[in-house]
Amino acid sequence: MVDPLTRWQRRLSLALVALVASVGIATAGLAAGGVTPQQVIATFEQNFGVHSGQRRNHIKGSCASGSFVANANARQYSRSPIFSGQPVPVVARFSLAGGNPKAPDTARSPRGLGLQFKPRGAGVVNMALINTPVFGAATPESFHGNLIATRPDPATGKPDPDTVKAFRASHPDTKPQAAFLAANNPVASYTSSSYYSLHAFRCLNSANRSQLVRWAFVPQDGERRLSDEELKAAPANFLEQRLLERTQQGPVKWDLVLTLGKAGDVDNDPSVAWPEDRKTVTVGTLTLSGASPQKGGACEAVAFDPLVLGDGIVATNDPVLQFRSGSYAISYDRRNRGV
C-alpha cells in the first residue's frame, strides 16, 4: 500500500516537473543557440524509438540504495547538508547510455550513476555521473549534432562510419570521450568503476568561501574492466546480475574525491580534462547495501537532475549542465504519462 504522504509527494513532483518542462522548452533554446530540449528528446526517439513509460536516455538500468557519510574534510569546502557527517540516505541508479532498452552490456558506451541524497530536514541533492573522465560534447549543439551523426542506419543497425568521422573532424570536442571509450574495454561490473561529475561546480563553506571543484566516486573494490577474452564471451545482460550478487555479499563502497580547481581552469566545458596535478581531497564514503531491478525499484521514478543541488553547492555556467534540466523534465514527464 502506498503511503498517503508518498502519493502526495509524487503528485507534487509531477506537477513541478511539468512546470520545469514548460519553462525549459520556452527558454532553453535561447540559452543554447536554438537547440531546445524537445529537439534533443525527439532525436533520441528517432534514434532509438519510443519506449512508452521509460527514459529517453540511459534507459537500461538497475536500482540500488544505501547511504553517504562525509568525513571531517568535507565541511572545509561545503556547507551542503550532505556533508554534515551524519549518514544521509541515498537512492542510486546504474545505467547504460542511450535509448535502447536491449543494448548489450558489452557496448562501448558510458555507464551512468545517478544519486539522490536525502539529508534529514533538507531538500534532496542530485548527482548525475558517468564513468568516462570527460563528456562527449562541449555544448548542447555539439551533443545534438553527435546524436544525429551517430543515428543507426536502418540497413545495418549501426551508425555510418563516414558520417561519424566527418562530424568528429569538424567537432574536436567529441573526440576525447570517443578515444577513451575506444581505448578502454567496458567495466566488468557497475561496482568496479569510477564515476565522474564531468561538470565543474562551486562549493561554498560556512564562511561563504568558494572553491571550484569536480568530483568522482572511486570504488574501494578497485577498477576492473573486461579483458578482450571476457568481452568476446560476455552475455548481453550481466551487469544487473553482478550488481545484485555483489550487494548480497556485503556493502559496496566508493570514496567521494574532490578535485580542486585553480584560477584559469576550464569551468564551462565538460569535454576538457583538468591538469593531472590538481589537488584531490577525499571527503566521504558512499555505501550501497542493496540493489534491485529497475521495475518497481526506488530509483524508477526518480529524475536525477544534476541542477537540484541545495545550499552549499552551486552550478557553474557550463552550457551542457545548464541545458540538462529541460531535457530531464521532458523525459520524466513523458514516461510518467506513459508515452
Side-chain angles (χ1 to χ4, degrees), residues 9 23 41 57 65 70 121 145 158 186 204-205 207 209-211 216 222 224 251-253 290 297 302 304 310 314 338:
Q9 288 173 326
V23 173
I41 295 301
N57 189 17
S65 60
K158 299 179 179 180
L204 297 175
N205 65 14
R209 179 179 175 273
S210 174
Q211 172 63 57
R224 194 173 98 74
V252 195
K253 297 184 178 184
V302 178
F304 295 93
V314 180

Side-chain angles (χ1 to χ4, degrees), residues 68-83:
F68 174 78
V69 179
N71 62 29
N73 295 327
R75 299 301 283 183
Q76 177 182 349
Y77 299 102
S78 175
R79 60 181 183 247
S80 169
I82 71 171
F83 294 137

Side-chain angles (χ1 to χ4, degrees), residues 28-36 140-141:
L30 298 175
V35 177
T36 63
E141 295 91 342

Side-chain angles (χ1 to χ4, degrees), residues 4-330:
L5 178 59
T6 301
R7 186 183 296 112
W8 176 84
Q9 288 173 326
R10 179 168 292 185
R11 288 174 179 170
L12 177 60
S13 178
L14 287 170
L16 289 173
V17 165
L19 176 60
V20 171
S22 64
V23 173
I25 291 170
T27 63
L30 298 175
V35 177
T36 63
Q38 72 260 52
Q39 287 177 306
V40 170
I41 295 301
T43 301
F44 271 109
E45 293 177 345
Q46 291 167 9
N47 284 16
F48 301 108
V50 176
H51 304 278
S52 299
Q54 298 189 58
R55 286 170 165 83
R56 270 41 181 182
N57 189 17
H58 285 267
I59 189 172
K60 184 179 181 181
S62 306
C63 294
S65 60
S67 64
F68 174 78
V69 179
N71 62 29
N73 295 327
R75 299 301 283 183
Q76 177 182 349
Y77 299 102
S78 175
R79 60 181 183 247
S80 169
I82 71 171
F83 294 137
S84 67
Q86 299 300 310
V88 177
V90 175
V91 173
R93 180 178 185 268
F94 294 95
S95 62
L96 271 69
N100 177 9
K102 297 182 179 180
D105 290 350
T106 53
R108 288 187 180 272
S109 62
R111 307 297 179 256
L113 173 59
L115 297 172
Q116 184 168 89
F117 302 79
K118 298 183 174 182
R120 178 180 244 178
V124 301
V125 176
N126 288 342
M127 294 183 182
L129 312 101
I130 61 174
N131 72 338
T132 62
V134 290
F135 191 55
T139 65
E141 295 91 342
S142 187
F143 177 77
H144 185 236
N146 190 57
L147 275 178
I148 295 172
T150 56
R151 179 173 297 157
D153 185 324
T156 65
K158 299 179 179 180
D160 177 72
D162 292 333
T163 301
V164 175
K165 183 178 179 180
F167 181 80
R168 288 182 179 159
S170 63
H171 292 77
D173 57 311
T174 65
K175 292 182 178 180
Q177 186 191 59
F180 179 89
L181 291 168
N184 292 275
N185 283 352
V187 293
S189 169
Y190 282 133
T191 62
S192 65
S193 181
S194 293
Y195 297 91
Y196 302 89
S197 69
L198 302 174
H199 308 289
F201 296 82
R202 288 199 171 273
C203 285
L204 297 175
N205 65 14
S206 58
N208 219 36
R209 179 179 175 273
S210 174
Q211 172 63 57
L212 185 68
V213 301
R214 286 177 173 175
W215 57 70
F217 284 87
V218 180
Q220 292 188 5
D221 282 0
E223 295 259 7
R224 194 173 98 74
R225 296 182 177 275
L226 296 170
S227 67
D228 291 341
E229 293 73 22
E230 288 173 326
L231 185 60
K232 292 176 183 177
N237 301 290
F238 64 88
L239 286 172
E240 181 168 278
Q241 185 59 36
R242 290 186 181 180
L243 174 64
L244 296 173
E245 291 172 352
R246 176 60 186 84
T247 53
Q248 288 168 1
Q249 293 169 9
V252 195
K253 297 184 178 184
W254 287 259
D255 293 323
L256 174 54
V257 179
L258 299 185
T259 298
L260 308 183
K262 292 185 177 180
D265 283 344
V266 174
D267 67 356
N268 63 353
D269 187 345
S271 72
V272 175
W274 282 355
E276 293 184 2
D277 64 355
R278 292 297 178 260
K279 181 180 178 180
T280 60
V281 181
T282 299
V283 296
T285 301
L286 171 69
T287 302
L288 298 181
S289 53
S292 72
Q294 177 174 255
K295 186 65 176 177
C299 76
E300 184 180 23
V302 178
F304 295 93
D305 180 348
L307 290 177
V308 178
L309 296 167
D311 184 43
I313 306 174
V314 180
T316 57
N317 289 324
D318 178 337
V320 177
L321 175 61
Q322 293 295 329
F323 189 82
R324 292 174 75 169
S325 280
S327 299
Y328 278 52
I330 293 170

